[in-house]
Amino acid sequence: MNRRPIKLNIETYPEAIADYLKDAELYDSSSSPQATVTFINKDEGYFLKEAVEGTLKTEALMMGYLHSLGLSGEVLYYGSRHGKDYLLSRKIRGEDGTHPDYLSEPERLCDTTASLLRKLHEMDGKDCPVQDRIMTYTDTVKRGFDRRSYEPDLFKGMWEFPSFSDAKRAAEEGLPLLKKEVLLHGDYCLPNIILNNWEFSGYIDLDCSGIGDRHMDVLWGIWTLNYNLGTTRYTDRFMDAYGRDRIETEKLRMVAAMEMIGG
């Protein structure tokens, strides 16, 4: 995780957050243009996420829920001010899955992330505050039917389609097959999985979490190993470790088409 030293005008922040920022070393730890993430190096560490007002509401909700299950960090503050959302959470002990110590043992990393995902999907999500991720996911995919978000090389060497029309057809055929069956992470990638000396510590970036179809997570669990390890050789191993009895390969291909189109 990259961290760049920064300075902030504490007076512009809500008082509840400013107290954490005072007399602390601050680092920019952002990984996407949609949100700014600040690491607060104080006590055992905190993360402050900022984004457009309303966009962090679901993440705060799901982070609080998964924390109650022992699967994520503690939310210390969520609120809006002057058109911005603020989400303050306690740092989860350990490092994410892209740390060199983990990448240096790819087979162990593959088996670990696959088994953790299977455990997540076997959790009882009856009290989950987001009971239908399929609905919002479907809306996102359908918006991509205008072709503006199409990424034909997103799964190059893994799942490919001859043309946009072929990908669109596969996505359309797959959407009705998606099930509200498991508790999802929603973005199951190595940077969002925190391990402490190979022991699971928690999940982060939960804005797409909720009840949905397991293949939505399995897809990204496979993709992240390909992307971060630079090889597709762990695809079969991941599916074996997760459990092929739960994976429909054709549905996985359909979900890949949805992601290529929906962006």
Side-chain angles (χ1 to χ4, degrees):
M1 183 179 293
N2 295 323
R3 294 176 184 169
R4 177 177 59 85
I6 56 172
K7 292 184 178 180
L8 299 176
N9 183 359
I10 298 177
E11 295 180 357
T12 65
Y13 287 82
E15 186 176 349
I17 293 176
D19 290 340
Y20 288 91
L21 296 173
K22 290 177 182 176
D23 304 318
E25 295 177 343
L26 306 176
Y27 298 86
D28 185 345
S29 186
S30 306
S31 59
S32 78
Q34 284 74 40
T36 298
V37 179
T38 300
F39 173 62
I40 305 171
N41 190 15
K42 184 179 182 179
D43 304 324
E44 294 185 359
Y46 309 93
F47 282 100
L48 174 61
K49 197 167 189 176
E50 304 172 49
V52 175
E53 184 173 357
T55 57
L56 299 181
K57 182 178 180 180
T58 299
E59 181 169 1
L61 197 63
M62 287 304 302
M63 192 172 187
Y65 173 65
L66 264 70
H67 175 67
S68 73
L69 300 178
L71 300 175
S72 189
E74 180 183 4
V75 175
L76 301 172
Y77 175 88
Y78 168 71
S80 301
R81 180 181 181 183
H82 303 316
K84 292 182 70 174
D85 265 8
Y86 298 91
L87 175 58
L88 179 70
S89 60
R90 199 179 301 277
K91 181 183 181 295
I92 299 173
R93 188 177 181 184
E95 300 290 344
D96 70 55
T98 65
H99 191 279
D101 286 351
Y102 302 132
L103 294 178
S104 66
E105 297 187 54
E107 293 183 352
R108 186 178 183 183
L109 183 62
C110 174
D111 294 349
T112 297
T113 55
S115 62
L116 286 174
L117 183 59
R118 179 64 180 261
K119 289 179 182 178
L120 173 64
H121 288 173
E122 291 177 345
M123 299 288 292
D124 184 351
K126 65 180 180 180
D127 296 324
C128 177
V130 180
Q131 283 291 319
D132 190 354
R133 267 291 295 147
I134 302 298
M135 180 175 62
T136 53
Y137 185 79
T138 297
D139 289 343
T140 299
V141 173
K142 287 184 175 179
R143 283 198 298 271
F145 286 172
D146 63 7
R147 196 169 181 165
R148 294 181 182 178
S149 303
Y150 183 47
E151 297 182 74
D153 295 329
L154 183 59
F155 300 109
K156 190 173 184 179
M158 305 170 74
W159 300 282
E160 299 182 59
F161 298 86
S163 67
F164 173 79
S165 296
D166 291 302
K168 183 174 180 288
R169 186 180 306 111
E172 289 176 320
E173 292 174 356
L175 283 173
L177 304 179
L178 297 179
K179 302 176 182 177
K180 293 180 287 183
E181 58 182 353
V182 298
L183 176 60
L184 295 175
H185 180 287
D187 188 11
Y188 196 74
C189 297
L190 291 178
N192 298 332
I193 306 166
I194 309 300
L195 304 173
N196 184 32
N197 193 27
W198 288 103
E199 293 296 322
F200 174 72
S201 277
Y203 295 120
I204 61 172
D205 287 350
L206 297 163
D207 56 305
C208 293
S209 186
I211 303 300
D213 194 295
R214 70 178 72 245
H215 295 79
M216 295 157 65
D217 270 349
V218 171
L219 178 88
W220 290 111
I222 293 172
W223 175 87
T224 193
L225 293 173
N226 174 36
Y227 180 81
N228 288 283
L229 296 173
T231 176
T232 61
R233 64 182 295 186
Y234 298 102
T235 296
D236 287 334
R237 187 182 180 105
F238 183 92
M239 289 194 286
D240 287 338
Y242 176 88
R244 285 184 181 270
D245 59 318
R246 292 290 188 270
I247 300 174
E248 300 174 44
T249 54
E250 183 57 27
K251 182 185 281 192
L252 204 58
R253 181 175 178 273
M254 291 174 173
V255 173
M258 297 174 203
E259 294 289 348
M260 291 166 64
I261 288 172

